[in-house]
Each structure stands twice: as C-alpha cells, then as structure tokens.
Amino acid sequence: MTGSAWGVRWRRLRFLLASYVGLAPFLAFALFPFYWMLITSLKADANLYDLRSNPFWFSRVDGATGQPYHKDIIVPASLTAGPIRWEIRTGAATTRSDSAVNPPAIAWIGDQKVLSPVDGTLAEIRVPTGQVAHPNEVIGVIHVPNPTLTHYRYLATTPFARWMQVSLVTGAAVVLITLVLAVPAAYGLARLEFPGNRGIGIAIFLTYLIPPTILFIPFSQFVGALRVDNTIWSLILSYPTFTVPFCTWLLMGFFRAVPKELEERALLDGATRLQTLRMVVIPVVMSGILTAAIFAFTLSFQEYVYALTFISSTVNRTLPVGITVDMVRGDVYFWGPLMASAVVGSVPVVILYALSLDWFISGMTTGAVK
Amino acid sequence: MADVTFEKVEKRFGEVYAVRGVDLAIRDREFVVLVGPSGCGKTTTLRMLAGLEDVTAGDIRIGGRSVTHLAPRDRDIAMVFQSYALYPHMTVEKNLSFSLRLRGVPKAEIDRRVQDVAKILGLGEHLQRKPRQLSGGQRQRVAVGAALCRQAGVLLFDEPLSNLDAKLRVHMRTELKRLHHSFKSTMIYVTHDQVEAMTMGDRIVLMNHGVICQVGTPLELYERPATRFVAGFIGSPPMNFFEARLVAADGGAAVELGGELRLPLPRPELAAQAGRPVVFGIRPEHIVLGEGARPGAVRVPAVVDEVEPLGHDAIVTARCGAGVFQVQSEHYAGVKRLDQVDAWFRMERAFVFDGENECAI
C-alpha cells in the first residue's frame, strides 16, 4: 500500500518536474529582455562600453588593462593656494571642483582618503605633505562604482516624471473612452440582431488593420483644426481611433461566449436590457473587459508616431518620445539612462498586470453554466 | 389564476414553420408536459410563452390576459433552463433572490422566501457558495429554486433534467412532482423523454413537425393513441408495427400480415372495410411468450433473435413471417437465441391505423 502511495507521489513529482523543465526555456526567453534592460540600466558607463568585459554580468575591472574602472583626478592648470582644486576628465565630460554642483571638498595636505563629490564613492588622492601639485598632474583616481544608480539619478535631472505623468494620464483617459465606447458596441454587434450587423463587425476590424503611419498626416490636420495640437488632448482624442476598434473586436468574442440563456433568464427575472447588461453580462465578461482595458492602456502607453508628430514641446511629451528624443542624441545612444527609463516606464504596466492576474484566472475558470 | 391559453399560435422562421396552429388550454395549477422528438416545436412553443421568441400569428393568454406582445418580465412567468443558466458571479443566495431584488420585494420577505426554498431543496448549507463550487445536481436545484422563489403564476421547465445522470434524473423527477403539489404554480415542462412525460404530467401534449398530435392524460395517450406516431412515441420499448390489410373472416374482422398471417380482431364492424390497407400495432407488453392458449390471445409462431433480460422481465426480439417484433415478457426463463417460440398477441390491446394518414381506426 505504501509502495503505491509513494508511486503516486513520485508520479506527481515527476509530472511537476517535467512541466517545469519544459517551461524553463519559455521563462528564460520571456525574461531575458527584462534582465538585459535591468543590468544595462545599472552598469557604469565604463563597464557598458567596455567591449572586452562579460556583457551578461557586472565587471569590476577593465577588460583591456585589467585595472579597476576609474577616473583620473587631475590638478587643473589654474592651481591656486588653499585647498587643492581638481577636475575629473572622462572622455569629453569634465567635472570641476569649482562648479556649483561640486564645491571644493578637499581641505587637507598629505596621503588621505576623502569622499569624492562624484557618486559619493571613495577617491584616493595622494599628494605628499608640503608638495605642490603640478598642473595636469594626476593626483588621484575615483573608483567607478559598478553596479551604480547614476543613470537613475540622471533621470531626475530630465523631465522624466512629467513624461510619465503625461503617459499615465493619456493612458487612463484612453482606457476610459475606449471602454465607454467599445463595451456597448461589442455587446450590440455580438448580440443584437440588426441589418448589417456582420458587415459592421468586419469593417471595425478592418479599421484596426490600417497602420497609424498612413493616418498620422491626415490626423495632424484634424488635430490642428481642433486646436489641440501640442497638448495632451491631441493624444486622448486620436488614440481611441485604434483602441476602440481593437477592443470592440476583442470584446465581441467575450460577449459571444456568454450563454444566451443567462440573458434570457435575466429578462424573465425582471431585468431590462440595460439591467441585464449591467448586472449579468458585464460581471460575467469582467475578465474580458479587463483584458481590453489593459490592451488599450498598453497600446496608448507605447504609441510613438502620433505622440511624436502632434506634440513638440518638451514638457508635453509622452514617455517613449521623451526618452528617445532626450536620451539619443545624434547617433549616440545613452544606454544607461535609456534602459533606466525603460525600467521605470514599465513599472505601471507591470503593476496593472499583477493586479489583474487574479481576475484573468478567475475569468478563465468561471465555467458555471453547465 | 394562471391558466394558459394558446390560440392558433404559429411561429415561422423565414419560410419554415417551427410551430403551426397550436390551440391549447392549460388549467390553473396543472402540470403539463410538452413532449416530442427534437425539432418538433415544443421548445419554441415554450419560448413563445416565455416571451423569448416573437409570435408570428395567434394569441397567448395567461390568466385571461393576452401576453402575446408583453415583455418577458411582465408575464408572471419563471423558467428553468436546460443549461441551468446560473449567474456565475453570484452566490447561491444571490442567484435565488435576483428576481426578487429586481422587483423591489422587501428585504425581510426576500430572506424568508430564500430560506424556505433553500430548506425545501436542501440548499441551506450552500447559500454562500458560487455555482462553480456545486455539483451538477446542486446546480440544478439552484436553478429550480430560483424559479420557485419568484412564486410566479406559471413555471416553465426546458428539459431541466437532461444534463443529470440517470439515477439523479429519476430522483429529481419525483422531487419536481412533489414540488408541484406544494407550490401553487401552473407548470409547463418540455422534454423529449417519453418516460418523463408519462411519469410527471397531469396531461401530455405530444408534438411533431410543429403541430400538436394529441393532448391527454398519460393513460389516454397510452391506451387511445390518435395516430401511429403517438402510439410509437409513447411506451417503451416502442410499439411493434406491421404493414397489414383488413380482411373479413369467420363473420368477424381480421388483419392479414405479410400476406399469410391472419389475426382475428375483436371488432366485427371493421369487416365492412375488408381490403383496406392498414398498419397493425401491438405493444411489446401485450404479447405473451409461452405455450398454451390464452383467452383473447392469438398464437404467432416465431424465432427468437435476441434476449435482453432486465431482471423482472426481459425484452425478447423475435421474428415471424410478417417481420421482426419485440416482446416484453416475464416468461423468459430458458428462452434462447434461435429458439422456436409461441408469441401470444393479446388482440383486445392491439391497434389498427389507417395505411394512408396513419390515424387510429
């Protein structure tokens, strides 16, 4: 008897094991882009552009020299008495101790370690007692911290928060408009008998197939005529042109799956058509409506062409446009800040999905008709 | 009063008649079963009464009031659907009380009725569960309970037992009949199962091809079927039919099966119609196997094809010169395949139908 109990348990374990082993490649495939985004956003520039380091993880030493990543601290030519003034040169960028952001912080003579003004990391500065540093002499190095939050701190100096706000507000407004239009439209097309019912359904789907790249020029005319160009309203009004058809099509499927008897019983129970929709049909297709809402939000959150053409002022940009305009200059991609904004930008979507996961699952298991 | 009257009711889908010329009067608090093969129009008739299908022509009245053009909710009707149609997002309690809440019944009254119905149907422990947490039988009870809670004048059932397993079905049959005695509703029940129709109905309405074939008590339909179709539909195993001809014999009438077998009928008046082509019908339970003459029975020699024992009796398929027929007999001990047996046809229980229009003669 115990043997068979063990057998059952072993078989169940084997089944679980096989399932997870089978699913592992999919998980890796799905998660890899996020992993790449995350480590890129946390890597110091020195590591990021070091082609000889292991790209899949953080490196502490330069792949070419074997030295830790560092920046030289140099005594500038305009050396005066008093505290040593310094500057840090990394490529084209220079940080000076006399700039507003980096007040002269070194008030000592001799071998000491002091807090560097950059990153709050330890700098080693070696100037022998009494000795005067010569101009352009390297008096120390700053260890580049890796991983680092530099790129995230950089975001605070851009209108990133504002872009996020524009994207979130647009997304929320678009979801609202989409649901208000698509839910009744989908219900009507799925359930009510009227001439042209099928044709309209297909026409709605076809409008979704027209790519925005064809439509943005005529749309800019509308946007101009309505005098909403360069405002968030241009997006709130134009995004539903693709979210409404898509969500209507999506929701029609969900409404069709609701058994007719459920509505018929509600009608007999004393409900009007609208009460039936509100009290029976909509709760039953709630998972579908949530799916539509998430799609609408994601579609509007990631939209690029309309946002790029309709809005020119920096403060009214959406996240995708703001990021690409501000963090790609010419042909230089600032990968760190780019990926940092991608990480922060994906947070709302992740939260949305996480919150509605239970709904999805409960929606899929509500087989309560038979 | 919730008597229901159909007057020349018909339903067309385009050119196709689903229901035609239905005249039917159902008394208050009667239990009427609409029965027939699938596609016979019984469900359409029920749905027209519920207001879920438009009526093409004719009039439907409930309690003397024409409801033909009323919305379903204004008809004083509750319905139990074949698929149960429980609201999946509501608990059992909310499912039971939904119609009452919509109609603005006071809270105390709703609670009282829900408790009553839950008690009668044994749902008391499950009131806070969702439908998906219930078994098939329990869901079915909730569906019935939701209809009972309404205390509507007319209660409709659309094949409510067809999704249950055989044992539960028999149980629910009795249960529904018991409920009919304790509730004051007129009940109209649609099924394709003639056993359900026979056991449950005060009266049976047998439909075929969109028309009513016969209306009557179960025994009336069993003992005096109006047509060959009714005779074949009611009763299990079904009645045996033979193509035959009326003949005159020995001063009385007889039927001649397959040109050779002559069975005298106890109805001498039919002798006048000798030569008329007819269909001769006799139920399996009115044929007796065994030796020795039975009063009023006629011997037909036959060969056994198959024996299906049921315990108390058996269904024996046999073959005579005129064709294959079935016998339901208690005397089956020792009867085997290919045995020569004597089948005794009890002619006083036999039927004769017209060869053309298949009406009973």
Side-chain angles (χ1 to χ4, degrees):
Chain A
M1 289 312 281
T2 52
S4 76
W6 276 109
V8 167
R9 206 177 280 183
W10 167 237
R11 239 173 294 149
R12 197 176 299 155
L13 195 71
R14 213 168 42 180
F15 173 74
L16 274 179
L17 217 66
S19 320
Y20 283 119
V21 167
L23 287 173
F26 291 96
L27 190 71
F29 185 76
L31 285 185
F32 183 75
F34 293 97
Y35 166 75
W36 195 252
M37 185 166 89
L38 203 64
I39 65 162
T40 306
S41 76
L42 290 172
K43 272 184 184 173
D45 278 337
N47 184 189
L48 214 46
Y49 298 107
D50 178 1
L51 295 180
R52 303 202 189 185
S53 65
N54 173 13
F56 297 102
W57 194 240
F58 302 103
S59 171
R60 299 208 166 272
V61 295
D62 191 303
T65 62
Q67 298 293 313
Y69 293 125
H70 67 275
K71 297 171 183 173
D72 292 339
I73 301 178
I74 294 163
V75 177
S78 58
L79 179 70
T80 55
I84 294 175
R85 292 177 183 276
W86 46 261
E87 59 183 43
I88 299 166
R89 293 185 190 145
T90 35
T94 308
T95 313
R96 283 199 185 83
S97 62
D98 54 355
S99 72
V101 207
N102 304 297
I106 309 168
W108 48 262
I109 304 286
D111 287 359
Q112 277 194 53
K113 289 179 177 178
V114 292
L115 270 184
S116 135
V118 182
D119 285 340
T121 41
L122 280 178
E124 283 175 33
I125 300 180
R126 299 174 301 276
V127 183
T129 314
Q131 191 177 327
V132 175
H134 297 292
N136 290 327
E137 184 185 348
V138 177
I139 56 167
V141 291
I142 291 176
H143 293 297
V144 175
N146 193 33
T148 171
L149 290 173
T150 318
H151 305 310
Y152 289 90
R153 272 197 291 269
Y154 172 76
L155 293 186
T157 68
T158 67
F160 183 83
R162 168 65 189 164
W163 302 333
M164 186 76 147
Q165 189 195 347
V166 169
S167 276
L168 287 177
V169 170
T170 310
V174 168
V175 165
L176 200 73
I177 293 175
T178 306
L179 291 187
V180 165
L181 294 177
V183 168
Y187 178 75
L189 286 169
R191 269 294 192 267
L192 305 182
E193 296 287 331
F194 58 90
N197 175 325
R198 270 193 73 78
I200 293 173
I202 291 168
I204 281 179
F205 183 63
L206 289 181
T207 57
Y208 175 70
L209 294 180
I210 301 173
T213 33
I214 292 179
L215 290 176
F216 79 94
I217 293 173
F219 266 22
S220 64
Q221 299 272 318
F222 283 116
V223 166
L226 291 171
R227 301 194 178 284
V228 290
D229 49 319
N230 217 0
T231 70
I232 187 172
W233 286 104
S234 61
L235 308 181
I236 293 177
L237 291 177
S238 56
Y239 287 176
T241 58
F242 55 84
T243 56
V244 170
F246 179 76
C247 292
T248 303
W249 187 258
L250 186 79
L251 284 170
M252 275 166 69
F254 281 98
F255 280 122
R256 286 217 179 94
V258 177
K260 270 208 166 106
E261 289 92 349
L262 226 49
E263 288 177 65
E264 290 176 343
R265 183 187 149 197
L267 289 178
L268 278 162
D269 275 347
T272 60
R273 268 274 174 204
L274 279 179
Q275 280 175 320
T276 306
L277 189 62
R278 186 165 55 85
M279 301 168 87
V280 175
V281 181
I282 287 185
V284 171
V285 297
M286 206 36 156
S287 61
I289 291 176
L290 262 157
T291 312
I294 287 178
F295 269 114
F297 184 81
T298 317
L299 283 175
S300 105
F301 205 67
Q302 71 184 18
E303 203 285 332
Y304 190 77
V305 178
Y306 293 168
L308 183 69
T309 36
F310 300 162
I311 288 186
S312 43
S313 75
T314 312
V315 290
N316 280 341
R317 281 188 185 131
T318 60
L319 206 52
V321 178
I323 292 170
T324 47
V325 168
D326 208 78
M327 290 166 204
V328 183
R329 299 201 194 115
D331 59 350
V332 182
Y333 287 73
F334 291 82
W335 285 117
L338 263 176
M339 288 302 149
S341 18
V343 169
V344 179
S346 62
V347 166
V349 183
V350 169
I351 291 177
L352 208 61
Y353 272 86
L355 286 183
S356 47
L357 199 64
D358 283 350
W359 269 101
F360 279 133
I361 293 170
S362 76
M364 282 185 278
T365 49
T366 343
V369 180
K370 279 203 177 170
Chain B
M1 286 292 281
D3 52 311
V4 176
T5 314
F6 287 82
E7 208 176 84
K8 298 193 175 57
V9 171
E10 77 182 39
K11 173 72 185 174
R12 260 195 324 248
F13 294 106
E15 292 297 299
V16 184
Y17 277 92
V19 169
R20 138 180 11 214
V22 165
D23 280 303
L24 183 61
I26 296 167
R27 291 184 293 275
D28 187 35
R29 299 172 69 170
E30 195 176 11
F31 196 123
V32 167
V33 179
L34 298 183
V35 68
S38 48
C40 73
K42 55 191 192 297
T43 295
T44 309
T45 307
L46 193 78
R47 288 172 59 85
M48 281 193 287
L49 174 57
L52 299 173
E53 298 283 355
D54 292 333
V55 176
T56 310
D59 194 28
I60 302 176
R61 288 191 297 277
I62 298 175
R65 180 175 66 126
S66 171
V67 298
T68 314
H69 301 292
L70 288 185
R73 67 198 152 103
D74 298 325
R75 295 189 177 202
D76 191 25
I77 273 179
M79 181 159 168
V80 178
F81 289 85
Q82 181 174 12
S83 60
Y84 311 154
L86 300 182
Y87 305 126
H89 57 294
M90 295 184 197
T91 60
V92 170
E93 184 179 8
K94 298 280 181 215
N95 260 288
L96 293 178
S97 63
F98 184 71
S99 62
L100 301 178
R101 284 183 284 136
L102 275 178
R103 280 160 209 272
V105 175
K107 179 92 178 59
E109 170 72 6
I110 293 181
D111 285 346
R112 196 183 57 75
R113 287 206 215 167
V114 167
Q115 291 302 333
D116 277 2
V117 166
K119 201 168 140 202
I120 290 171
L121 292 172
L123 290 168
E125 304 156 36
H126 309 306
L127 282 179
Q128 297 312 319
R129 297 214 186 152
K130 295 277 180 71
R132 67 169 173 276
Q133 297 167 297
L134 301 178
S135 69
Q138 289 166 338
R139 286 178 197 176
Q140 147 84 178
R141 278 160 201 275
V142 177
V144 172
L148 288 176
C149 264
R150 267 282 300 287
Q151 300 187 352
V154 184
L155 213 56
L156 309 180
F157 296 87
D158 185 10
E159 310 220 11
L161 304 185
S162 55
N163 289 329
L164 299 180
D165 64 60
K167 206 164 178 181
L168 206 51
R169 193 150 60 214
V170 174
H171 175 74
M172 279 308 287
R173 222 155 66 190
T174 337
E175 191 101 325
L176 285 178
K177 237 184 141 169
R178 189 171 61 82
L179 288 173
H180 176 238
H181 294 307
S182 43
F183 280 81
K184 300 182 179 66
S185 295
T186 306
M187 295 195 179
I188 303 177
Y189 187 105
V190 161
T191 180
H192 61 267
D193 181 353
Q194 61 93 19
V195 179
E196 266 176 36
M198 292 293 281
T199 50
M200 299 179 75
D202 292 335
R203 280 197 300 160
I204 294 176
V205 176
L206 181 52
M207 296 185 72
N208 194 25
H209 298 312
V211 297
I212 294 179
C213 303
Q214 193 172 355
V215 181
T217 63
L219 274 187
E220 278 168 6
L221 263 65
Y222 179 79
E223 289 180 343
R224 289 193 295 281
T227 63
R228 173 183 168 169
F229 175 78
V230 176
F233 194 85
I234 300 290
S236 169
M239 188 184 277
N240 300 299
F241 294 109
F242 301 92
E243 298 294 325
R245 213 158 48 81
L246 282 179
V247 290
D250 310 334
V255 282
E256 193 180 75
L257 313 185
E260 48 178 87
L261 200 59
R262 249 175 208 229
L263 309 174
L265 287 171
R267 297 172 63 189
E269 78 280 7
L270 292 179
Q273 303 180 34
R276 180 174 173 183
V278 294
V279 173
F280 171 76
I282 184 161
R283 295 190 187 278
E285 55 270 37
H286 298 145
I287 304 175
V288 186
L289 287 188
E291 284 160 31
R294 315 276 150 126
V298 179
R299 190 179 72 92
V300 176
V303 179
V304 173
D305 263 3
E306 209 59 69
V307 182
E308 299 165 69
L310 299 171
H312 173 70
D313 50 17
I315 296 169
V316 178
T317 307
R319 177 189 303 274
C320 67
V324 177
F325 61 95
Q326 287 191 311
V327 181
Q328 187 164 24
S329 175
E330 297 171 28
H331 310 288
Y332 66 91
V335 176
K336 300 188 305 293
R337 204 174 125 70
L338 300 180
D339 277 0
Q340 296 277 348
V341 290
D342 285 341
W344 293 87
F345 284 32
R346 295 172 57 192
M347 295 306 286
E348 83 279 9
R349 306 301 299 265
F351 299 95
V352 180
F353 304 97
D354 184 89
E356 298 281 320
N357 62 20
E358 305 201 324
C359 284
I361 301 171

